[in-house]
Amino acid sequence: MTPSPSPTLQAHALVHGDRGAAYGPPAQDFARTAALWTAVLGDKLAPGASITAHDVGLLMAALKLSRLAHGYHADSAVDLAGYAECLAMVHNTEAAAPPEPTAEIMASAAARLGQIRRSQLDTLPTDIQRAVLTLLIAQDDEKLDLGKFPASNSQPEPDSPGSGEQHE
């Protein structure tokens, strides 16, 4: 009897193959799932709380662990490895995303807004680009409340390596 391939190798092939193509990147898929779970669980969550894409990966892995605790099933082991790969992909996507604009960045962007031409936007730092775009969108809204943006107190975390995807 030929031994079956490693669950991690099988999961990698699925995450970066059929399932990745079917469901899209894990950060997007898990974010959609998180929004749905937040809606379903809304009255059970603390006010203002929501399920995140990271939570989805952890909860799906927990489901697979629960099934494996009942008895070993190769497909659950493959799925568990796949969710670990997806969690890494979600983390790396989130780590690569520029930080949300702070009040200071928004104020700086507001000061520059009248001086910036669209062709110059690409030459600005990413956080300022996001802030300028936010301000451009907000121009049609009522007054923009800079107080809703957090004060800048910390440096962004360095980028992390990795990527992957899995679904049941």
Side-chain angles (χ1 to χ4, degrees):
M1 181 170 145
T2 305
S4 60
S6 158
T8 55
L9 293 176
Q10 291 179 56
H12 189 273
L14 288 169
V15 166
H16 296 280
D18 294 346
R19 292 187 183 161
Y23 303 119
Q28 292 174 8
D29 180 36
F30 286 13
R32 283 190 307 269
T33 302
L36 290 167
W37 287 3
T38 297
V40 169
L41 298 171
D43 62 337
K44 293 175 174 48
L45 298 172
S50 62
I51 306 295
T52 66
H54 183 81
D55 295 332
V56 170
L58 291 175
L59 292 166
M60 293 306 295
L63 171 71
K64 295 305 174 176
L65 286 170
S66 173
R67 290 181 179 175
L68 286 166
H70 186 267
Y72 183 82
H73 298 280
D75 64 319
S76 289
V78 170
D79 288 345
L80 179 60
Y83 287 119
E85 176 73 5
C86 288
L87 269 170
M89 292 177 76
V90 167
H91 170 75
N92 292 328
T93 298
E94 290 171 352
E100 289 299 316
T102 63
E104 293 87 353
I105 291 170
M106 292 300 290
S108 172
R112 292 180 175 188
L113 188 59
Q115 306 164 4
I116 295 174
R117 294 187 191 112
R118 287 230 181 241
S119 61
Q120 296 172 309
L121 191 58
D122 290 337
T123 66
L124 297 173
T126 305
D127 54 352
I128 297 293
Q129 286 181 29
R130 289 185 68 188
V132 167
L133 292 173
T134 300
L135 288 167
L136 288 170
I137 291 166
Q139 279 181 336
D140 294 332
D141 297 343
E142 293 182 32
K143 252 187 144 156
L144 182 66
D145 178 13
L146 293 179
K148 74 178 184 175
F149 297 97
S152 167
N153 292 332
S154 62
Q155 296 293 330
E157 292 184 23
D159 289 349
S160 304
S163 20
E165 161 148 336
Q166 168 75 23
H167 301 29
E168 189 162 351

